[in-house]
């Protein structure tokens, strides 16, 4: 690797032989060198929990019949943006399952309406795998950023996490299409997914180095009881313990910051779910983005990717001020500008 950090050094850090203090101090130094103490705000709008896919880990998978499904209409999405704008948000992240209801025409209509009303804001989409033409149309409508975790760069691991009709090569193709079109692109993965080894994570890092994403989203894998992996991990206790998963996520965040100094890296909701101050720890390990929830409170619980997801009962303003306090307590500062990626 050309990062000045070798695979063997990364393995040493990830396995906890670090030492951790050295790793986290170096990550924080690099983050401050590139971004100072700034933490960027992204307003998350979880606009549909319908999904045609059946990822073995995900609570909103099509096969989960115990879930009440919802989709927000255009007016409600615009209302979320209006609230968010008044609270200082300048990025709206529209995330959802792969919901066929949101055809290109429908989604482009929503994107161009938001873009028209809030031209000073960035629109980020996170709606899964689509055709290149679809990504191009959404870009033309005003979307500029796209989050699509690659989930696992190893085809073998990917296969154990997804059904046969989901193909890693297609996911990678989507990421490269998005980049070529001109999106700022985010990839990423779940840490501690069943079957994942440190060698798999090295493969992920190699893939990310080739892709050179602008954003990298990682968070711990968390069990959802009504999923195939959730059911099997309950019975045979596969995977890492909670504290191991937290530590490994923090170490990987720090390694990512060292390898990708310019990247926008969120302290995710999953990190705050696995540990009450997980997001603060994530910021100290190199993360520089937080994503408060702007979705209407009455649907929050239904966007249940994993058990015990936090922030399901709070109004948007509460979510924002809670996160502002958390960011301050970690020693950083929320900034409300659009927060584009720095040059690679
Ligand atoms: N459908 C879009 C996609 O595929 O990118 C966006 C929605 S998807 C639910 C967002 C992310 O949630 C996934 O990329 C996955 O990494 C994460 N996720 C799903 N189930 C999870 C779980 N049980 N634990 C932690 N993260 C999970």
């Amino acid at each position: 690797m050309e990062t000045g950090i070798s695979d063997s050094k990364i393995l040493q850090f990830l396995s906890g032989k670090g030492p951790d203090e050295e790793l986290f101090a170096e990550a924080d130094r690099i983050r401050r060198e590139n971004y100072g103490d700034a933490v960027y705000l992204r307003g998350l709008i979880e606009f549909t929990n319908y999904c045609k896919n059946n990822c073995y880990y995900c609570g909103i998978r099509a096969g989960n019949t115990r879930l009440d499904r919802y989709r927000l209409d255009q007016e409600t999405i615009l209302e979320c943006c209006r609230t968010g704008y008044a609270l200082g948000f300048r990025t709206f992240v529209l995330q959802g399952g792969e919901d066929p209801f949101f055809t290109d025409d429908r989604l482009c209509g929503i994107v161009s309406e938001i873009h028209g009303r809030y031209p000073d804001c960035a629109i980020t989409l996170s709606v899964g795998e689509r055709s290149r033409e679809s990504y191009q149309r959404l870009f033309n409508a005003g979307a500029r950023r796209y989050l699509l975790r690659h989930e696992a760069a190893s085809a073998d691991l990917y296969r154990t996490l997804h059904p046969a009709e989901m193909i890693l090569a297609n996911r990678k193709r989507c990421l490269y299409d998005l980049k070529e079109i001109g999106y700022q692109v985010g990839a990423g993965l779940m840490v501690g997914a069943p079957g994942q080894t440190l060698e798999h994570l090295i493969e992920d890092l190699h893939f990310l180095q080739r892709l050179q994403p602008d954003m990298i989203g990682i968070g711990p894998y968390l069990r959802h009881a009504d999923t195939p992996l959730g059911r099997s991990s309950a019975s045979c206790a596969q995977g890492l313990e909670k504290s191991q998963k937290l530590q490994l996520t923090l170490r990987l965040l720090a390694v990512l910051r060292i390898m990708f100094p310019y990247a926008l890296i969120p302290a995710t909701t999953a990190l705050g779910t696995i540990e009450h101050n997980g997001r603060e720890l994530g910021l100290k390990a190199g993360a520089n983005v937080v994503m408060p929830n702007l979705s209407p409170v009455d649907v929050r619980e239904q966007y249940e990717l994993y058990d015990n997801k936090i922030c399901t009962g709070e109004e948007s303003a509460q979510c924002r001020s809670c996160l502002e306090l958390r960011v301050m307590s970690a020693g950083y500062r929320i900034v409300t500008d659009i927060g584009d990626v720095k040059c690679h």
Side-chain angles (χ1 to χ4, degrees):
M1 287 195 184
E2 322 115 20
T3 49
I5 177 164
S6 65
D7 288 357
S8 59
K9 186 71 184 165
I10 294 171
L11 279 172
Q12 185 183 322
F13 278 133
L14 294 182
S15 57
K17 297 180 192 125
D20 282 343
E21 301 69 48
E22 185 189 309
L23 174 65
F24 296 143
E26 178 63 359
D28 192 54
R29 188 188 68 72
I30 291 177
R31 150 290 165 52
R32 285 180 191 273
E33 203 172 273
N34 288 273
Y35 284 102
D37 59 359
V39 173
Y40 296 98
L41 266 187
R42 274 66 169 117
L44 185 61
I45 304 170
E46 297 160 337
F47 70 102
T48 173
N49 73 349
Y50 283 87
C51 190
K52 66 180 169 58
N53 291 333
N54 260 310
C55 306
Y56 296 146
Y57 46 83
C58 185
I60 64 169
R61 66 198 304 273
N64 181 6
T65 52
R66 294 164 65 106
L67 186 68
D68 286 334
R69 303 282 171 172
Y70 75 91
R71 45 175 83 93
L72 304 184
D73 60 23
Q74 176 162 315
E75 275 321 299
T76 310
I77 294 172
L78 288 168
E79 182 57 28
C80 296
C81 295
R82 198 189 62 75
T83 307
Y85 194 87
L87 290 168
F89 290 84
R90 293 297 176 267
T91 295
F92 302 121
V93 182
L94 265 56
Q95 188 181 87
E98 288 194 21
D99 179 355
F101 175 84
F102 287 101
T103 57
D104 290 347
D105 282 347
R106 285 199 173 104
L107 204 48
C108 285
I110 293 168
V111 168
S112 61
E113 193 61 37
I114 298 174
H115 186 53
R117 291 192 193 190
Y118 304 102
D120 55 333
C121 293
I123 302 170
T124 305
L125 294 175
S126 178
V127 288
E129 297 175 29
R130 299 173 82 98
S131 67
R132 185 180 176 120
E133 296 67 46
S134 171
Y135 290 146
Q136 184 68 60
R137 285 190 61 188
L138 291 162
F139 187 85
N140 296 346
R144 284 294 174 271
R145 301 178 184 158
Y146 204 101
L147 305 178
L148 182 72
R149 290 185 176 183
H150 65 283
E151 311 293 0
S154 147
D156 290 343
L157 180 61
Y158 192 87
R159 189 72 305 118
T160 65
L161 299 174
H162 304 95
E165 62 274 16
M166 291 185 70
I167 306 203
L168 175 60
N170 191 50
R171 210 158 179 89
K172 290 184 176 172
R173 190 271 306 158
C174 289
L175 285 163
Y176 283 104
D177 281 350
L178 289 160
K179 265 197 93 137
E180 279 169 24
I181 290 168
Y183 282 92
Q184 293 174 34
V185 169
L189 56 106
M190 297 177 299
V191 179
Q196 183 190 63
T197 62
L198 296 186
E199 287 68 29
H200 287 131
L201 293 178
I202 296 285
E203 245 183 281
D204 287 314
L205 292 172
H206 289 176
F207 170 70
L208 291 171
Q209 278 208 308
R210 288 193 295 279
L211 180 70
Q212 289 290 307
D214 305 282
M215 303 163 285
I216 307 174
I218 67 158
Y221 158 73
L222 297 166
R223 175 176 176 269
H224 188 296
D226 298 319
T227 60
L229 284 175
R231 280 188 285 272
S232 62
S233 61
S235 56
C236 64
Q238 55 164 301
L240 300 177
E241 294 299 321
K242 181 181 142 174
S243 63
Q244 293 174 306
K245 239 186 288 186
L246 171 66
Q247 268 322 105
L248 183 55
T249 307
L250 296 174
R251 289 177 191 140
L252 186 60
L253 277 174
V255 167
L256 287 169
R257 173 55 63 205
I258 294 168
M259 291 177 67
F260 303 92
Y262 60 83
L264 291 158
I265 304 179
T268 56
T269 307
L271 200 49
T273 300
I274 199 169
E275 181 64 40
H276 71 97
N277 64 342
R279 285 170 295 181
E280 291 89 313
L281 296 173
L283 294 171
K284 290 182 184 172
N288 61 344
V289 171
V290 289
M291 300 174 71
N293 205 317
L294 287 179
S295 312
V297 176
D298 61 345
V299 299
R300 296 254 187 107
E301 279 188 4
Q302 287 153 258
Y303 201 80
E304 197 191 42
L305 308 181
Y306 41 78
D307 293 340
N308 306 314
K309 185 168 171 245
I310 55 167
C311 308
T312 53
E314 292 168 9
E315 293 292 344
S316 304
Q318 282 173 287
C319 249
R320 188 206 185 286
S321 56
C322 160
L323 268 170
E324 178 141 31
L325 289 174
R326 288 176 183 276
V327 168
M328 276 166 52
S329 77
Y332 305 97
R333 175 182 56 94
I334 280 195
V335 291
T336 53
D337 68 60
I338 196 165
D340 273 326
V341 71
K342 300 264 164 90
C343 286
H344 290 206

